[in-house]
Amino acid sequence: AQSVTQLGSHVSVSEGALVLLRCNYSSSVPPYLFWYVQYPNQGLQLLLKYTSAATLVKGINGFEAEFKKSETSFHLTKPSAHMSDAAEYFCALNTGGFKTIFGAGTRLFVKA
Amino acid sequence: DTAVSQTPKYLVTQMGNDKSIKCEQNLGHDTMYWYKQDSKKFLKIMFSYNNKELIINETVPNRFSPKSPDKAHLNLHINSLELGDSAVYFCASSHGTPYSNQPQHFGDGTRLSIL
């Protein structure tokens, strides 16, 4: 069965520190993977997507994610956190059909 | 120049009432979705239409009825509202192919509160 697991419902980092948000997936076919960000009172916005062209994917706002098939992971990172990065982050998976499976979300807190 | 727009943004109503939420997209997409996001931010697919045809109909009470008059619009009507319907409802759209690397574009949500 296809699934997405985000490890850690809350992550707190200091401004300027590394951001690491974890996502593991389960899929019986090659997956398409996405990271979305949701700011308060807004809808989800695409940060980046993996489409098999490259395992290291760069997205907006300095975020990037690395696809590791052997670990079934697609973790999101940013070298230096900014206060404006505080938001909810969702990992998502498409393995066929029109349905995209979303993870439960990780809330990122950034401390000054 | 909003890509996916939902109305209303806020909806406060009494239990038992009937209400509708409208969604429009100007991205030229042929697939549209309704999601429900609960207070813990969990996002659950409710319905999806591709070229006006219902293609996803999750386990949702039949009090919820979607309608797609054309590819750019997807509305959601809810009958006999219950307390448990309180949530944020998101409309989204995408280029639709069954196995797709196309991301979804979301509206800003409709915050439904049942008194």
Side-chain angles (χ1 to χ4, degrees), chain A residues 5-7 19-25 33-35 48 50 55-57 63-68 71-78 91:
Chain A
T5 302
Q6 291 185 238
L7 299 173
V19 175
L20 171 60
L21 304 183
R22 300 177 189 273
C23 173
N24 287 89
Y25 69 92
L33 291 157
F34 308 83
W35 275 101
L48 49 81
Y50 167 72
T55 56
L56 184 62
V57 182
F63 283 93
E64 62 181 35
E66 186 172 10
F67 174 73
K68 292 187 177 180
E71 298 177 10
T72 61
S73 68
F74 190 55
H75 300 332
L76 181 71
T77 60
K78 181 174 180 177
C91 183

Side-chain angles (χ1 to χ4, degrees), chain A residues 13-19 78-85 108-110:
Chain A
V13 301
S14 298
E15 194 172 21
L18 172 72
V19 175
K78 181 174 180 177
S80 176
H82 191 272
M83 296 297 288
S84 61
D85 295 326
L108 177 65
F109 296 92
V110 182

Side-chain angles (χ1 to χ4, degrees), chain A residues 21-110:
Chain A
L21 304 183
R22 300 177 189 273
C23 173
N24 287 89
Y25 69 92
S26 173
S27 174
S28 56
V29 299
Y32 290 123
L33 291 157
F34 308 83
W35 275 101
Y36 290 85
V37 61
Q38 184 181 25
Y39 299 104
N41 297 316
Q42 294 186 25
L44 280 69
Q45 304 171 32
L46 181 70
L47 269 180
L48 49 81
K49 65 180 183 180
Y50 167 72
T51 59
S52 76
T55 56
L56 184 62
V57 182
K58 294 190 183 299
I60 62 172
N61 301 338
F63 283 93
E64 62 181 35
E66 186 172 10
F67 174 73
K68 292 187 177 180
K69 184 178 178 180
S70 60
E71 298 177 10
T72 61
S73 68
F74 190 55
H75 300 332
L76 181 71
T77 60
K78 181 174 180 177
S80 176
H82 191 272
M83 296 297 288
S84 61
D85 295 326
E88 192 87 22
Y89 292 80
F90 293 90
C91 183
L93 167 70
N94 186 321
T95 62
F98 288 91
K99 188 190 296 188
T100 296
I101 299 170
F102 286 85
T106 298
R107 181 69 185 272
L108 177 65
F109 296 92
V110 182

Side-chain angles (χ1 to χ4, degrees), chain A residues 41-42, chain B residues 9-12 87-90 108-113:
Chain A
N41 297 316
Q42 294 186 25
Chain B
K9 192 173 178 70
Y10 298 95
L11 191 50
V12 180
V88 182
Y89 292 83
F90 286 101
D108 281 339
T110 295
R111 286 142 190 84
L112 175 62
S113 297

